[in-house]
PDB file of all heavy atoms in Angstrom:
ATOM      1  N   PHE A   1       2.364   0.870  -0.230  1.00 96.00           N
ATOM      2  CA  PHE A   1       2.932  -0.116   0.637  1.00 96.00           C
ATOM      3  C   PHE A   1       3.385  -1.320  -0.169  1.00 96.00           C
ATOM      4  O   PHE A   1       2.586  -1.965  -0.817  1.00 96.00           O
ATOM      5  CB  PHE A   1       1.952  -0.521   1.733  1.00 96.00           C
ATOM      6  CG  PHE A   1       1.405   0.606   2.572  1.00 96.00           C
ATOM      7  CD1 PHE A   1       0.229   1.242   2.237  1.00 96.00           C
ATOM      8  CD2 PHE A   1       2.111   1.079   3.623  1.00 96.00           C
ATOM      9  CE1 PHE A   1      -0.247   2.290   2.951  1.00 96.00           C
ATOM     10  CE2 PHE A   1       1.653   2.160   4.402  1.00 96.00           C
ATOM     11  CZ  PHE A   1       0.441   2.749   4.058  1.00 96.00           C
ATOM     12  N   GLN A   2       4.706  -1.619  -0.086  1.00 95.00           N
ATOM     13  CA  GLN A   2       5.301  -2.791  -0.773  1.00 95.00           C
ATOM     14  C   GLN A   2       5.427  -3.917   0.216  1.00 95.00           C
ATOM     15  O   GLN A   2       5.988  -3.709   1.284  1.00 95.00           O
ATOM     16  CB  GLN A   2       6.640  -2.457  -1.363  1.00 95.00           C
ATOM     17  CG  GLN A   2       6.629  -1.420  -2.495  1.00 95.00           C
ATOM     18  CD  GLN A   2       8.004  -1.240  -3.107  1.00 95.00           C
ATOM     19  OE1 GLN A   2       8.861  -2.145  -3.005  1.00 95.00           O
ATOM     20  NE2 GLN A   2       8.232  -0.141  -3.742  1.00 95.00           N
ATOM     21  N   ILE A   3       4.994  -5.109  -0.150  1.00 95.00           N
ATOM     22  CA  ILE A   3       5.023  -6.250   0.734  1.00 95.00           C
ATOM     23  C   ILE A   3       5.971  -7.293   0.162  1.00 95.00           C
ATOM     24  O   ILE A   3       5.691  -7.890  -0.921  1.00 95.00           O
ATOM     25  CB  ILE A   3       3.625  -6.870   0.887  1.00 95.00           C
ATOM     26  CG1 ILE A   3       2.589  -5.799   1.178  1.00 95.00           C
ATOM     27  CG2 ILE A   3       3.648  -7.935   1.977  1.00 95.00           C
ATOM     28  CD1 ILE A   3       2.853  -4.959   2.365  1.00 95.00           C
ATOM     29  N   TRP A   4       7.094  -7.520   0.859  1.00 94.00           N
ATOM     30  CA  TRP A   4       8.147  -8.431   0.427  1.00 94.00           C
ATOM     31  C   TRP A   4       8.256  -9.694   1.346  1.00 94.00           C
ATOM     32  O   TRP A   4       8.872 -10.666   0.967  1.00 94.00           O
ATOM     33  CB  TRP A   4       9.518  -7.794   0.369  1.00 94.00           C
ATOM     34  CG  TRP A   4       9.641  -6.677  -0.629  1.00 94.00           C
ATOM     35  CD1 TRP A   4       9.211  -5.411  -0.528  1.00 94.00           C
ATOM     36  CD2 TRP A   4      10.208  -6.788  -1.945  1.00 94.00           C
ATOM     37  NE1 TRP A   4       9.487  -4.652  -1.634  1.00 94.00           N
ATOM     38  CE2 TRP A   4      10.115  -5.490  -2.549  1.00 94.00           C
ATOM     39  CE3 TRP A   4      10.784  -7.806  -2.649  1.00 94.00           C
ATOM     40  CZ2 TRP A   4      10.574  -5.215  -3.835  1.00 94.00           C
ATOM     41  CZ3 TRP A   4      11.266  -7.562  -3.906  1.00 94.00           C
ATOM     42  CH2 TRP A   4      11.165  -6.253  -4.493  1.00 94.00           C
ATOM     43  N   GLU A   5       7.679  -9.581   2.540  1.00 93.00           N
ATOM     44  CA  GLU A   5       7.789 -10.676   3.531  1.00 93.00           C
ATOM     45  C   GLU A   5       6.425 -10.956   4.178  1.00 93.00           C
ATOM     46  O   GLU A   5       5.527 -10.142   4.038  1.00 93.00           O
ATOM     47  CB  GLU A   5       8.778 -10.271   4.635  1.00 93.00           C
ATOM     48  CG  GLU A   5      10.198  -9.873   4.169  1.00 93.00           C
ATOM     49  CD  GLU A   5      10.958 -11.070   3.691  1.00 93.00           C
ATOM     50  OE1 GLU A   5      10.522 -12.248   3.880  1.00 93.00           O
ATOM     51  OE2 GLU A   5      12.036 -10.852   3.108  1.00 93.00           O
ATOM     52  N   PRO A   6       6.219 -12.065   4.848  1.00 94.00           N
ATOM     53  CA  PRO A   6       4.990 -12.287   5.578  1.00 94.00           C
ATOM     54  C   PRO A   6       4.793 -11.310   6.669  1.00 94.00           C
ATOM     55  O   PRO A   6       5.639 -11.116   7.517  1.00 94.00           O
ATOM     56  CB  PRO A   6       5.153 -13.727   6.121  1.00 94.00           C
ATOM     57  CG  PRO A   6       6.284 -14.357   5.355  1.00 94.00           C
ATOM     58  CD  PRO A   6       7.153 -13.256   4.930  1.00 94.00           C
ATOM     59  N   LEU A   7       3.650 -10.557   6.647  1.00 94.00           N
ATOM     60  CA  LEU A   7       3.441  -9.475   7.565  1.00 94.00           C
ATOM     61  C   LEU A   7       2.005  -9.490   8.062  1.00 94.00           C
ATOM     62  O   LEU A   7       1.172 -10.201   7.543  1.00 94.00           O
ATOM     63  CB  LEU A   7       3.786  -8.153   6.928  1.00 94.00           C
ATOM     64  CG  LEU A   7       5.153  -7.938   6.374  1.00 94.00           C
ATOM     65  CD1 LEU A   7       5.241  -6.753   5.480  1.00 94.00           C
ATOM     66  CD2 LEU A   7       6.154  -7.761   7.538  1.00 94.00           C
ATOM     67  N   SER A   8       1.735  -8.650   9.078  1.00 94.00           N
ATOM     68  CA  SER A   8       0.359  -8.543   9.597  1.00 94.00           C
ATOM     69  C   SER A   8       0.101  -7.158  10.140  1.00 94.00           C
ATOM     70  O   SER A   8       1.023  -6.425  10.545  1.00 94.00           O
ATOM     71  CB  SER A   8       0.136  -9.574  10.688  1.00 94.00           C
ATOM     72  OG  SER A   8      -1.180  -9.597  11.143  1.00 94.00           O
ATOM     73  N   LEU A   9      -1.148  -6.770  10.112  1.00 96.00           N
ATOM     74  CA  LEU A   9      -1.652  -5.552  10.757  1.00 96.00           C
ATOM     75  C   LEU A   9      -1.269  -4.249   9.945  1.00 96.00           C
ATOM     76  O   LEU A   9      -0.198  -3.656  10.173  1.00 96.00           O
ATOM     77  CB  LEU A   9      -1.201  -5.428  12.195  1.00 96.00           C
ATOM     78  CG  LEU A   9      -1.820  -6.467  13.145  1.00 96.00           C
ATOM     79  CD1 LEU A   9      -1.201  -6.346  14.548  1.00 96.00           C
ATOM     80  CD2 LEU A   9      -3.318  -6.212  13.257  1.00 96.00           C
ATOM     81  N   LEU A  10      -2.194  -3.883   9.097  1.00 97.00           N
ATOM     82  CA  LEU A  10      -2.108  -2.587   8.454  1.00 97.00           C
ATOM     83  C   LEU A  10      -3.490  -1.942   8.546  1.00 97.00           C
ATOM     84  O   LEU A  10      -4.469  -2.493   7.989  1.00 97.00           O
ATOM     85  CB  LEU A  10      -1.718  -2.784   6.963  1.00 97.00           C
ATOM     86  CG  LEU A  10      -1.634  -1.535   6.092  1.00 97.00           C
ATOM     87  CD1 LEU A  10      -0.668  -0.504   6.660  1.00 97.00           C
ATOM     88  CD2 LEU A  10      -1.253  -1.892   4.666  1.00 97.00           C
ATOM     89  N   THR A  11      -3.547  -0.823   9.174  1.00 98.00           N
ATOM     90  CA  THR A  11      -4.830  -0.146   9.447  1.00 98.00           C
ATOM     91  C   THR A  11      -4.784   1.249   8.882  1.00 98.00           C
ATOM     92  O   THR A  11      -3.914   2.086   9.261  1.00 98.00           O
ATOM     93  CB  THR A  11      -5.106  -0.059  10.945  1.00 98.00           C
ATOM     94  OG1 THR A  11      -5.109  -1.365  11.518  1.00 98.00           O
ATOM     95  CG2 THR A  11      -6.456   0.594  11.247  1.00 98.00           C
ATOM     96  N   ILE A  12      -5.700   1.579   7.936  1.00 98.00           N
ATOM     97  CA  ILE A  12      -5.701   2.833   7.254  1.00 98.00           C
ATOM     98  C   ILE A  12      -7.128   3.404   7.427  1.00 98.00           C
ATOM     99  O   ILE A  12      -8.064   2.888   6.745  1.00 98.00           O
ATOM    100  CB  ILE A  12      -5.358   2.718   5.811  1.00 98.00           C
ATOM    101  CG1 ILE A  12      -3.965   2.032   5.628  1.00 98.00           C
ATOM    102  CG2 ILE A  12      -5.310   4.075   5.114  1.00 98.00           C
ATOM    103  CD1 ILE A  12      -3.608   1.652   4.215  1.00 98.00           C
ATOM    104  N   THR A  13      -7.341   4.362   8.270  1.00 98.00           N
ATOM    105  CA  THR A  13      -8.679   4.828   8.614  1.00 98.00           C
ATOM    106  C   THR A  13      -8.778   6.356   8.708  1.00 98.00           C
ATOM    107  O   THR A  13      -7.804   7.006   9.112  1.00 98.00           O
ATOM    108  CB  THR A  13      -9.172   4.247   9.944  1.00 98.00           C
ATOM    109  OG1 THR A  13      -8.319   4.707  11.005  1.00 98.00           O
ATOM    110  CG2 THR A  13      -9.167   2.753   9.944  1.00 98.00           C
ATOM    111  N   ASN A  14      -9.881   6.873   8.233  1.00 98.00           N
ATOM    112  CA  ASN A  14     -10.242   8.296   8.492  1.00 98.00           C
ATOM    113  C   ASN A  14      -9.243   9.318   7.935  1.00 98.00           C
ATOM    114  O   ASN A  14      -9.107  10.437   8.450  1.00 98.00           O
ATOM    115  CB  ASN A  14     -10.421   8.528  10.019  1.00 98.00           C
ATOM    116  CG  ASN A  14     -11.554   7.707  10.582  1.00 98.00           C
ATOM    117  OD1 ASN A  14     -12.715   7.813  10.134  1.00 98.00           O
ATOM    118  ND2 ASN A  14     -11.244   6.840  11.496  1.00 98.00           N
ATOM    119  N   ASN A  15      -8.573   8.954   6.846  1.00 98.00           N
ATOM    120  CA  ASN A  15      -7.723   9.846   6.138  1.00 98.00           C
ATOM    121  C   ASN A  15      -8.556  10.565   5.072  1.00 98.00           C
ATOM    122  O   ASN A  15      -9.536  10.051   4.561  1.00 98.00           O
ATOM    123  CB  ASN A  15      -6.571   9.104   5.498  1.00 98.00           C
ATOM    124  CG  ASN A  15      -5.721   8.419   6.508  1.00 98.00           C
ATOM    125  OD1 ASN A  15      -4.911   8.982   7.217  1.00 98.00           O
ATOM    126  ND2 ASN A  15      -5.908   7.068   6.596  1.00 98.00           N
ATOM    127  N   VAL A  16      -8.133  11.791   4.716  1.00 98.00           N
ATOM    128  CA  VAL A  16      -8.838  12.555   3.693  1.00 98.00           C
ATOM    129  C   VAL A  16      -7.831  13.116   2.695  1.00 98.00           C
ATOM    130  O   VAL A  16      -6.670  13.194   2.984  1.00 98.00           O
ATOM    131  CB  VAL A  16      -9.648  13.694   4.333  1.00 98.00           C
ATOM    132  CG1 VAL A  16     -10.700  13.215   5.337  1.00 98.00           C
ATOM    133  CG2 VAL A  16      -8.734  14.702   5.008  1.00 98.00           C
ATOM    134  N   GLY A  17      -8.338  13.492   1.553  1.00 97.00           N
ATOM    135  CA  GLY A  17      -7.444  14.098   0.578  1.00 97.00           C
ATOM    136  C   GLY A  17      -8.126  14.382  -0.742  1.00 97.00           C
ATOM    137  O   GLY A  17      -9.200  13.878  -1.040  1.00 97.00           O
ATOM    138  N   ASN A  18      -7.454  15.131  -1.582  1.00 97.00           N
ATOM    139  CA  ASN A  18      -7.985  15.415  -2.943  1.00 97.00           C
ATOM    140  C   ASN A  18      -6.818  15.798  -3.893  1.00 97.00           C
ATOM    141  O   ASN A  18      -5.700  16.130  -3.491  1.00 97.00           O
ATOM    142  CB  ASN A  18      -9.056  16.477  -2.926  1.00 97.00           C
ATOM    143  CG  ASN A  18      -8.542  17.815  -2.476  1.00 97.00           C
ATOM    144  OD1 ASN A  18      -7.903  18.520  -3.248  1.00 97.00           O
ATOM    145  ND2 ASN A  18      -8.805  18.202  -1.214  1.00 97.00           N
ATOM    146  N   ASN A  19      -7.178  15.707  -5.169  1.00 97.00           N
ATOM    147  CA  ASN A  19      -6.263  16.126  -6.234  1.00 97.00           C
ATOM    148  C   ASN A  19      -5.097  15.152  -6.370  1.00 97.00           C
ATOM    149  O   ASN A  19      -3.941  15.424  -5.998  1.00 97.00           O
ATOM    150  CB  ASN A  19      -5.727  17.543  -6.054  1.00 97.00           C
ATOM    151  CG  ASN A  19      -5.291  18.156  -7.374  1.00 97.00           C
ATOM    152  OD1 ASN A  19      -5.748  17.772  -8.418  1.00 97.00           O
ATOM    153  ND2 ASN A  19      -4.431  19.166  -7.298  1.00 97.00           N
ATOM    154  N   PHE A  20      -5.396  13.941  -6.921  1.00 96.00           N
ATOM    155  CA  PHE A  20      -4.436  12.863  -7.093  1.00 96.00           C
ATOM    156  C   PHE A  20      -4.104  12.612  -8.526  1.00 96.00           C
ATOM    157  O   PHE A  20      -4.997  12.625  -9.386  1.00 96.00           O
ATOM    158  CB  PHE A  20      -4.973  11.566  -6.458  1.00 96.00           C
ATOM    159  CG  PHE A  20      -5.338  11.696  -5.030  1.00 96.00           C
ATOM    160  CD1 PHE A  20      -6.650  11.661  -4.607  1.00 96.00           C
ATOM    161  CD2 PHE A  20      -4.345  11.898  -4.042  1.00 96.00           C
ATOM    162  CE1 PHE A  20      -6.971  11.772  -3.263  1.00 96.00           C
ATOM    163  CE2 PHE A  20      -4.689  12.016  -2.718  1.00 96.00           C
ATOM    164  CZ  PHE A  20      -5.988  11.947  -2.302  1.00 96.00           C
ATOM    165  N   TYR A  21      -2.845  12.316  -8.781  1.00 94.00           N
ATOM    166  CA  TYR A  21      -2.422  11.927 -10.135  1.00 94.00           C
ATOM    167  C   TYR A  21      -2.568  10.442 -10.326  1.00 94.00           C
ATOM    168  O   TYR A  21      -3.016   9.976 -11.321  1.00 94.00           O
ATOM    169  CB  TYR A  21      -0.957  12.341 -10.363  1.00 94.00           C
ATOM    170  CG  TYR A  21      -0.371  11.949 -11.683  1.00 94.00           C
ATOM    171  CD1 TYR A  21      -0.547  12.787 -12.786  1.00 94.00           C
ATOM    172  CD2 TYR A  21       0.293  10.720 -11.859  1.00 94.00           C
ATOM    173  CE1 TYR A  21      -0.041  12.384 -14.031  1.00 94.00           C
ATOM    174  CE2 TYR A  21       0.823  10.381 -13.143  1.00 94.00           C
ATOM    175  CZ  TYR A  21       0.636  11.236 -14.163  1.00 94.00           C
ATOM    176  OH  TYR A  21       1.140  10.888 -15.409  1.00 94.00           O
ATOM    177  N   ARG A  22      -2.188   9.664  -9.303  1.00 94.00           N
ATOM    178  CA  ARG A  22      -2.175   8.192  -9.455  1.00 94.00           C
ATOM    179  C   ARG A  22      -3.202   7.627  -8.452  1.00 94.00           C
ATOM    180  O   ARG A  22      -4.332   7.927  -8.515  1.00 94.00           O
ATOM    181  CB  ARG A  22      -0.741   7.624  -9.314  1.00 94.00           C
ATOM    182  CG  ARG A  22      -0.583   6.258  -9.923  1.00 94.00           C
ATOM    183  CD  ARG A  22       0.919   5.825  -9.978  1.00 94.00           C
ATOM    184  NE  ARG A  22       1.066   4.599 -10.656  1.00 94.00           N
ATOM    185  CZ  ARG A  22       1.084   3.415 -10.003  1.00 94.00           C
ATOM    186  NH1 ARG A  22       0.975   3.368  -8.697  1.00 94.00           N
ATOM    187  NH2 ARG A  22       1.280   2.284 -10.681  1.00 94.00           N
ATOM    188  N   MET A  23      -2.715   6.832  -7.507  1.00 96.00           N
ATOM    189  CA  MET A  23      -3.611   6.112  -6.564  1.00 96.00           C
ATOM    190  C   MET A  23      -3.594   6.774  -5.213  1.00 96.00           C
ATOM    191  O   MET A  23      -2.591   7.313  -4.737  1.00 96.00           O
ATOM    192  CB  MET A  23      -3.155   4.672  -6.419  1.00 96.00           C
ATOM    193  CG  MET A  23      -3.061   3.890  -7.743  1.00 96.00           C
ATOM    194  SD  MET A  23      -2.626   2.163  -7.478  1.00 96.00           S
ATOM    195  CE  MET A  23      -2.295   1.654  -9.131  1.00 96.00           C
ATOM    196  N   ALA A  24      -4.775   6.712  -4.526  1.00 97.00           N
ATOM    197  CA  ALA A  24      -4.856   7.156  -3.164  1.00 97.00           C
ATOM    198  C   ALA A  24      -4.117   6.154  -2.249  1.00 97.00           C
ATOM    199  O   ALA A  24      -3.314   6.514  -1.418  1.00 97.00           O
ATOM    200  CB  ALA A  24      -6.271   7.344  -2.759  1.00 97.00           C
ATOM    201  N   ILE A  25      -4.416   4.848  -2.407  1.00 97.00           N
ATOM    202  CA  ILE A  25      -3.807   3.807  -1.600  1.00 97.00           C
ATOM    203  C   ILE A  25      -3.476   2.624  -2.547  1.00 97.00           C
ATOM    204  O   ILE A  25      -4.298   2.158  -3.224  1.00 97.00           O
ATOM    205  CB  ILE A  25      -4.678   3.315  -0.438  1.00 97.00           C
ATOM    206  CG1 ILE A  25      -5.068   4.431   0.526  1.00 97.00           C
ATOM    207  CG2 ILE A  25      -4.020   2.161   0.311  1.00 97.00           C
ATOM    208  CD1 ILE A  25      -6.152   4.054   1.523  1.00 97.00           C
ATOM    209  N   GLU A  26      -2.213   2.220  -2.466  1.00 97.00           N
ATOM    210  CA  GLU A  26      -1.768   1.008  -3.197  1.00 97.00           C
ATOM    211  C   GLU A  26      -1.031   0.104  -2.210  1.00 97.00           C
ATOM    212  O   GLU A  26      -0.087   0.458  -1.592  1.00 97.00           O
ATOM    213  CB  GLU A  26      -0.837   1.401  -4.360  1.00 97.00           C
ATOM    214  CG  GLU A  26      -0.365   0.183  -5.165  1.00 97.00           C
ATOM    215  CD  GLU A  26       0.479   0.536  -6.390  1.00 97.00           C
ATOM    216  OE1 GLU A  26       0.824   1.754  -6.495  1.00 97.00           O
ATOM    217  OE2 GLU A  26       0.773  -0.325  -7.187  1.00 97.00           O
ATOM    218  N   ILE A  27      -1.553  -1.157  -2.182  1.00 97.00           N
ATOM    219  CA  ILE A  27      -0.904  -2.228  -1.397  1.00 97.00           C
ATOM    220  C   ILE A  27      -0.569  -3.349  -2.364  1.00 97.00           C
ATOM    221  O   ILE A  27      -1.460  -3.922  -2.937  1.00 97.00           O
ATOM    222  CB  ILE A  27      -1.789  -2.704  -0.261  1.00 97.00           C
ATOM    223  CG1 ILE A  27      -2.301  -1.560   0.618  1.00 97.00           C
ATOM    224  CG2 ILE A  27      -1.075  -3.735   0.616  1.00 97.00           C
ATOM    225  CD1 ILE A  27      -3.418  -1.974   1.618  1.00 97.00           C
ATOM    226  N   GLN A  28       0.762  -3.627  -2.469  1.00 94.00           N
ATOM    227  CA  GLN A  28       1.200  -4.504  -3.523  1.00 94.00           C
ATOM    228  C   GLN A  28       2.154  -5.576  -3.014  1.00 94.00           C
ATOM    229  O   GLN A  28       3.179  -5.276  -2.391  1.00 94.00           O
ATOM    230  CB  GLN A  28       1.927  -3.697  -4.625  1.00 94.00           C
ATOM    231  CG  GLN A  28       2.430  -4.492  -5.768  1.00 94.00           C
ATOM    232  CD  GLN A  28       1.359  -4.838  -6.759  1.00 94.00           C
ATOM    233  OE1 GLN A  28       0.523  -4.059  -7.106  1.00 94.00           O
ATOM    234  NE2 GLN A  28       1.382  -6.058  -7.243  1.00 94.00           N
ATOM    235  N   THR A  29       1.832  -6.834  -3.258  1.00 94.00           N
ATOM    236  CA  THR A  29       2.780  -7.888  -3.018  1.00 94.00           C
ATOM    237  C   THR A  29       3.841  -7.926  -4.077  1.00 94.00           C
ATOM    238  O   THR A  29       3.503  -7.924  -5.271  1.00 94.00           O
ATOM    239  CB  THR A  29       2.059  -9.298  -2.983  1.00 94.00           C
ATOM    240  OG1 THR A  29       1.140  -9.312  -1.893  1.00 94.00           O
ATOM    241  CG2 THR A  29       3.049 -10.429  -2.721  1.00 94.00           C
ATOM    242  N   MET A  30       5.129  -7.941  -3.708  1.00 92.00           N
ATOM    243  CA  MET A  30       6.187  -7.796  -4.677  1.00 92.00           C
ATOM    244  C   MET A  30       6.779  -9.062  -5.115  1.00 92.00           C
ATOM    245  O   MET A  30       7.517  -9.162  -6.127  1.00 92.00           O
ATOM    246  CB  MET A  30       7.291  -6.907  -4.038  1.00 92.00           C
ATOM    247  CG  MET A  30       6.780  -5.551  -3.541  1.00 92.00           C
ATOM    248  SD  MET A  30       5.872  -4.594  -4.792  1.00 92.00           S
ATOM    249  CE  MET A  30       7.200  -4.249  -5.958  1.00 92.00           C
ATOM    250  N   ARG A  31       6.521 -10.196  -4.388  1.00 92.00           N
ATOM    251  CA  ARG A  31       7.031 -11.495  -4.781  1.00 92.00           C
ATOM    252  C   ARG A  31       6.175 -12.597  -4.082  1.00 92.00           C
ATOM    253  O   ARG A  31       5.390 -12.324  -3.178  1.00 92.00           O
ATOM    254  CB  ARG A  31       8.482 -11.685  -4.445  1.00 92.00           C
ATOM    255  CG  ARG A  31       8.818 -11.563  -2.952  1.00 92.00           C
ATOM    256  CD  ARG A  31      10.311 -11.600  -2.723  1.00 92.00           C
ATOM    257  NE  ARG A  31      10.672 -11.340  -1.281  1.00 92.00           N
ATOM    258  CZ  ARG A  31      11.929 -11.319  -0.854  1.00 92.00           C
ATOM    259  NH1 ARG A  31      12.933 -11.450  -1.659  1.00 92.00           N
ATOM    260  NH2 ARG A  31      12.129 -11.109   0.455  1.00 92.00           N
ATOM    261  N   THR A  32       6.350 -13.812  -4.482  1.00 92.00           N
ATOM    262  CA  THR A  32       5.526 -14.891  -3.973  1.00 92.00           C
ATOM    263  C   THR A  32       6.051 -15.503  -2.700  1.00 92.00           C
ATOM    264  O   THR A  32       5.302 -15.750  -1.759  1.00 92.00           O
ATOM    265  CB  THR A  32       5.433 -16.054  -5.030  1.00 92.00           C
ATOM    266  OG1 THR A  32       4.842 -15.494  -6.256  1.00 92.00           O
ATOM    267  CG2 THR A  32       4.530 -17.181  -4.533  1.00 92.00           C
ATOM    268  N   THR A  33       7.396 -15.586  -2.579  1.00 93.00           N
ATOM    269  CA  THR A  33       8.019 -16.251  -1.451  1.00 93.00           C
ATOM    270  C   THR A  33       9.002 -15.294  -0.795  1.00 93.00           C
ATOM    271  O   THR A  33       9.765 -14.581  -1.468  1.00 93.00           O
ATOM    272  CB  THR A  33       8.793 -17.532  -1.895  1.00 93.00           C
ATOM    273  OG1 THR A  33       7.862 -18.376  -2.549  1.00 93.00           O
ATOM    274  CG2 THR A  33       9.364 -18.257  -0.684  1.00 93.00           C
TER     275      THR A  33
END
C-alpha cells in the first residue's frame, strides 16, 4: 500500500499465506506533503 495523500481506515485481518520472497505487508508513505 502506497500512501501519497492524507487517508484513513485500513483494516487487514485474518489473512493467511506462505512462501514469500519479499514482504507479507508493506505500508509506505511516499512523500511528506
Side-chain angles (χ1 to χ4, degrees):
F1 302 96
Q2 296 184 20
I3 313 302
W4 296 81
E5 304 289 350
L7 300 166
S8 184
L9 290 174
L10 178 58
T11 303
I12 305 172
T13 61
N14 298 300
N15 301 283
V16 300
N18 64 78
N19 203 24
F20 301 111
Y21 178 87
R22 200 168 184 271
M23 303 183 191
I25 301 172
E26 182 177 7
I27 306 171
Q28 179 78 43
T29 297
M30 306 305 294
R31 58 185 177 183
T32 302
T33 304

